[in-house]
């Protein structure tokens, strides 16, 4: 058995912002079509992911028709396990109602938090939503749940998934609606548990990485629009049509997690580096 046969592959997409069929996000972006393109890129991957996690903002307004459209758009993934998180654009009850077959989603309680095993990996989904607000928070109850789950996961590599990133990105308008409560407490918890391989997030519509609690915290690009790269306190709250993308997190059976940023679209290639005689093409 080769190394890849023993590697757990967790695919991450985020910030889909799906509207009702025929509706455009911000009156300009066909997020449904971009998600279709991303799913086709995922299906073309040489190695099939063992599962997918979607780190929030599944829809634009949390409406039942938007969730129904999302179900349809995800259907080409077939039997691939899909793990959903709520973002600030979502509505917890609507999300539960739209996906009743996803038994990992708590059927009651205030928060959508859960733990699932994916191969050798444990995924802990952490709810950062503050209802009615764009910014996120982690209260004592949610942090206590995480601490208990990490304690019971000793010896098993863990990925914590959440919507709002628990770090400053230096993009002013996004940091003002970031994780405004509980970030320091979260980092202290993570630092006590060295088996946390990653803290993976959404919300930023960009690929960003930072050292966090002895591990790596990171965000993923979105399948459609990206937040403009402007590291200013007064950066314009604006989006751009940079190349859409997603993340593939690979955990070898013995080793540390490796995270790859991938882009969805029609790109030329692949082309060889070497000619038929084994020489580098000149």
């Amino acid at each position: 058995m080769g190394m890849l046969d023993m590697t757990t592959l967790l695919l991450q997409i985020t910030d889909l912002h799906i509207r009702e069929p025929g509706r455009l996000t911000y009156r300009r972006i066909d997020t449904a079509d971009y998600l279709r393109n991303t799913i086709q890129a995922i299906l073309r991957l040489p190695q099939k992911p063992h599962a997918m996690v979607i780190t929030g903002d599944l829809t634009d307004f949390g409406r039942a028709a938007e969730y129904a459209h999302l179900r349809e758009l995800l259907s080409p993934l077939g039997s691939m396990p899909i793990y959903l998180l709520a973002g600030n654009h979502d509505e917890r009850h609507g999300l539960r109602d739209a996906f009743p077959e996803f038994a990992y989603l708590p059927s009651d309680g205030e928060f959508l938090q859960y733990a699932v095993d994916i191969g050798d990996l444990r995924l802990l989904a952490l709810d950062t939503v503050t209802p009615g607000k764009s910014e996120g928070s982690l209260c004592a109850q949610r942090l206590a749940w995480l601490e208990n789950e990490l304690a019971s996961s000793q010896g098993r590599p863990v990925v914590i998934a959440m919507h709002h990133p628990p770090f400053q990105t230096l993009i002013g308008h996004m940091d003002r609606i970031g994780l405004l409560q509980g970030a320091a407490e979260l980092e202290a918890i993570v630092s006590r548990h060295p088996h946390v391989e990653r803290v993976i997030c959404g919300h930023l519509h960009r690929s960003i990485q930072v050292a966090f609690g002895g591990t790596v915290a990171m965000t993923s690009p979105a399948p459609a629009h990206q937040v403009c790269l402007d590291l200013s306190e007064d950066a314009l709250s604006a989006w751009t049509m940079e190349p859409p993308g997603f993340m593939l997190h690979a955990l070898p059976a013995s080793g540390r997690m490796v995270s790859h940023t991938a882009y969805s679209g029609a790109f030329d290639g692949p082309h060889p580096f070497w000619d038929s005689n084994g020489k580098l093409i000149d």
Side-chain angles (χ1 to χ4, degrees), residues 122-172:
R122 178 157 292 173
L123 175 68
L124 300 182
L126 190 57
D127 187 333
T128 62
V129 171
T130 305
K133 296 185 178 181
S134 296
E135 64 267 23
S137 62
L138 287 173
C139 59
Q141 181 181 343
R142 282 176 276 190
L143 290 168
W145 174 88
L146 177 67
E147 183 93 73
N148 290 335
E149 289 292 339
L150 286 171
S152 67
S153 302
Q154 291 291 347
R156 191 181 191 97
V158 166
V159 166
I160 299 171
M162 53 199 290
H163 182 64
H164 297 83
F167 57 88
Q168 294 289 298
T169 68
L170 306 184
I171 301 175

Side-chain angles (χ1 to χ4, degrees), residues 258-282:
V258 179
S259 296
H260 294 265
T261 303
Y263 298 97
S264 51
F267 306 112
D268 191 20
H271 301 291
F273 290 108
W274 305 89
D275 65 21
S276 58
N277 297 316
K279 294 183 177 181
L280 190 64
I281 295 173
D282 185 352

Side-chain angles (χ1 to χ4, degrees), residues 73-145:
L73 292 166
L74 294 175
S75 62
L77 293 171
S79 61
M80 183 185 298
I82 301 172
Y83 298 106
L84 305 177
L85 280 77
N88 52 287
H89 281 256
D90 290 304
E91 202 283 319
R92 290 182 180 126
H93 297 294
L95 174 54
R96 282 189 181 115
D97 293 345
F99 294 91
E101 75 278 21
F102 287 176
Y104 61 83
L105 288 173
S107 59
D108 55 15
E110 183 178 357
F111 306 119
L112 291 184
Q113 302 192 148
Y114 54 86
V116 293
D117 291 329
I118 304 166
D120 292 330
L121 179 71
R122 178 157 292 173
L123 175 68
L124 300 182
L126 190 57
D127 187 333
T128 62
V129 171
T130 305
K133 296 185 178 181
S134 296
E135 64 267 23
S137 62
L138 287 173
C139 59
Q141 181 181 343
R142 282 176 276 190
L143 290 168
W145 174 88

Side-chain angles (χ1 to χ4, degrees), residues 197-269:
E197 289 284 341
R198 287 289 185 280
V199 179
I200 61 173
C201 316
H203 195 51
L204 261 292
H205 295 237
R206 299 202 67 83
S207 176
I208 307 169
Q209 303 83 36
V210 68
F212 182 85
T215 187
V216 177
M218 61 195 310
T219 64
S220 170
H225 52 299
Q226 315 304 317
V227 169
C228 292
L229 180 56
D230 184 347
L231 306 184
S232 172
E233 175 63 24
D234 59 355
L236 179 67
S237 180
W239 51 269
T240 179
M241 298 312 296
E242 291 179 7
F246 55 93
M247 302 296 299
L248 183 65
H249 307 286
L251 180 68
S254 58
R256 304 310 300 263
M257 176 166 279
V258 179
S259 296
H260 294 265
T261 303
Y263 298 97
S264 51
F267 306 112
D268 191 20

